[in-house]
Amino acid sequence: MKKFLVMYLAPAAVLEEWMQKPEEDRKAEEEKMKTEWDVWMRSHRDVIKETAGVGKTKKVTGEGITDTKNDIMLYSIVEGESAESVAGIFRGHPHFGIPEASIEVMPVNYLPEME
């Protein structure tokens, strides 16, 4: 089995707008998505090897380190035969309950000297 990096994305502006919703409405939607997410994860636990949320982003350049924002919310490491087969399991994923959300799947290509 090959390994794939899966990135769960949502535009930062959409998430900021989401946080402006009345807390009662937002919490109800978040709970619904979490319940659906838990069901989805249980049904794919044999191929999902790791999943985690990411925090605030630091950008490092030759000029220094700055705070920045990007669209990455979470990541997973998933095992599968091909990018197409792994991408297929994410059709209809609960992450799409967030407006303009997307999921990207890419193969993990280990560098020989880094394994």
Side-chain angles (χ1 to χ4, degrees), residues 5-24:
L5 176 64
V6 176
M7 306 297 289
Y8 304 82
L9 307 164
V14 169
L15 295 178
E16 287 175 15
E17 184 178 307
W18 178 276
M19 295 306 292
Q20 299 306 312
K21 285 183 168 192
E23 185 174 357
E24 185 176 300

Side-chain angles (χ1 to χ4, degrees), residues 8-111:
Y8 304 82
L9 307 164
V14 169
L15 295 178
E16 287 175 15
E17 184 178 307
W18 178 276
M19 295 306 292
Q20 299 306 312
K21 285 183 168 192
E23 185 174 357
E24 185 176 300
D25 296 343
R26 190 180 76 244
K27 293 293 182 188
E29 291 178 42
E30 289 170 353
E31 188 59 38
K32 179 182 182 294
M33 277 192 285
K34 183 186 181 318
T35 299
E36 292 170 353
W37 180 284
D38 290 345
V39 169
W40 189 94
M41 287 295 285
R42 279 192 301 275
S43 67
H44 294 89
R45 68 178 165 252
D46 56 329
V47 295
I48 307 292
K49 301 304 173 188
E50 179 179 344
T51 297
V54 297
K56 295 187 184 224
T57 305
K58 297 287 186 189
K59 182 176 183 176
V60 181
T61 67
E63 288 75 45
I65 301 170
T66 57
D67 292 332
T68 191
K69 289 186 179 183
N70 61 38
D71 295 347
I72 302 169
M73 293 183 66
L74 304 111
Y75 76 91
S76 289
I77 301 295
V78 179
E79 288 186 344
E81 294 298 323
S82 68
E84 292 77 16
S85 67
V86 170
I89 69 171
F90 288 92
R91 284 191 183 105
H93 191 280
H95 180 65
F96 300 127
I98 300 169
E100 299 180 50
S102 62
I103 295 174
E104 296 182 3
V105 175
M106 59 206 90
V108 173
N109 298 316
Y110 292 100
L111 302 174

